[in-house]
Amino acid sequence: ERIPQILKRFRQSVLSAAVSGKLTEEWRERNGIVDRWEETTLGESLELLDQGWSPKCENFPSKSEEIWGVIKTTAVQHMEFFPEENKQLPKTLLPDPQFEVRIDDILITRAGPRVRVGVCCHVKKTRTRLMICDKVYRMRTRRHIALPGFIELLLNTYDRLEEIEGMKTGISDSGVNLTQAKIKAIIFSIPKINEQEEILRLTSKLFAVADKIEARYNKAKAQLDKLPQSLLAKAFRGELVPQDESDEPASLLLERIHQGNPAKPGKARKPRGYKMGVEPLSMAAEQ
């Protein structure tokens, strides 16, 4: 039961080490790299920050790459993108290709319920003819400054999530917003591109270990969840205790009960309690 929380803490520790330089300390020493990380803002590392379009769509997803769809905010999860979370664009509306989701886009939710705003992912794979919606910001990095994968790591660390939490504005938790200006103003330190590549390699390797453990946990949990039902099934089949072959089938006992004569013919038994000198409950009740 503690495994999910342990894995969550492990992943956050990896993210924190990745964006602070601790993860690549040995790599820098091994390669004789003494370059210091430079301080910058998110705005300075981006070549594009925009938001999409939210036309009135069908109430079902576009399942074919031949038909345009608009992503829902639920397509954007922490460090994961789910292209199937979309709504089909009506045939009466023309698509706007400038909003099409592309590989290496960074998406972050900008409006909605508090818990769903500020959720960020790097699009590692997608399908064609999908547009971003109005409630999602799309970012593209200046590739000589920042790799999209590194920005994804940065915006998913605990500290940055707390910082983004403080940027949200709104009257109630059911509807808050993030402005472009506040997103662009995020300050962070960043290494050279070759170190960013090493960071992404190491984090991918460590996350793969966590994913493998999580998969084993989910499999074991599913088996444990089925265990009580399997025990009950064995109990009703009489497989939990040794069986006496001289016992009559349960079907005959049920038939006698139905006829009002539960005692087995020729083997009438005294009520429980006579051996101990204790009256049966039924007799005590009558008295």
Side-chain angles (χ1 to χ4, degrees), residues 69-211:
V70 179
I71 65 168
K72 301 187 291 185
T73 58
T74 49
V76 182
Q77 301 293 336
H78 292 289
M79 301 188 71
E80 289 188 275
F81 178 64
F82 295 94
E84 65 273 13
E85 288 290 312
N86 71 79
K87 289 187 176 183
Q88 183 171 305
L89 188 71
K91 295 179 180 179
T92 55
L93 295 177
L94 293 175
D96 194 336
Q98 69 170 317
F99 296 130
E100 185 174 9
V101 179
R102 299 179 188 173
I103 298 293
D104 281 341
D105 281 349
I106 304 165
L107 306 178
I108 182 168
T109 53
R110 70 162 195 86
R114 180 174 293 275
V115 296
R116 286 291 306 145
V117 173
V119 179
C120 175
C121 71
H122 164 216
V123 179
K124 302 173 186 67
K125 61 180 181 179
T126 186
R127 47 155 280 191
T128 58
R129 293 181 173 83
L130 274 185
M131 293 180 288
I132 57 170
C133 64
D134 179 64
K135 293 185 177 181
V136 171
Y137 285 138
R138 172 181 57 183
M139 298 179 281
R140 289 179 182 157
T141 64
R142 294 175 176 168
R143 296 301 290 264
H144 66 286
I145 297 177
L147 297 178
F150 182 83
I151 298 300
E152 178 191 44
L153 299 181
L154 175 77
L155 296 180
N156 277 283
T157 61
Y158 178 79
D159 289 343
R160 294 301 171 182
L161 290 172
E162 286 290 294
E163 182 180 353
I164 291 171
E165 182 66 28
M167 296 177 179
K168 299 173 185 177
T169 58
I171 298 175
S172 68
D173 287 348
S174 61
V176 300
N177 293 276
L178 273 178
T179 66
Q180 288 194 23
K182 289 181 178 179
I183 291 291
K184 288 181 177 180
I186 292 176
I187 300 172
F188 63 99
S189 295
I190 191 168
K192 300 294 185 182
I193 293 295
N194 61 339
E195 187 167 351
Q196 291 181 50
E197 291 172 341
E198 179 64 11
I199 288 170
L200 294 177
R201 186 187 72 81
L202 291 173
T203 54
S204 178
K205 184 177 179 180
L206 291 168
F207 284 161
V209 173
D211 291 344

Side-chain angles (χ1 to χ4, degrees), residues 19 29 105 118 122 136 231 278:
V19 301
E29 292 176 5
D105 281 349
H122 164 216
V136 171
L231 284 175
V278 179

Side-chain angles (χ1 to χ4, degrees), residues 263-281:
K264 189 172 181 179
K267 291 189 177 182
R269 300 167 67 181
K270 292 182 179 180
R272 183 177 299 175
Y274 276 128
K275 285 186 179 180
M276 302 296 294
V278 179
E279 293 180 344
L281 289 177

Side-chain angles (χ1 to χ4, degrees), residues 32-47:
I33 296 174
V34 294
D35 292 335
R36 298 180 63 182
W37 288 31
E38 296 183 0
E39 190 175 273
T40 186
T41 65
L42 189 56
E44 290 171 345
S45 65
L46 299 177
E47 69 174 20

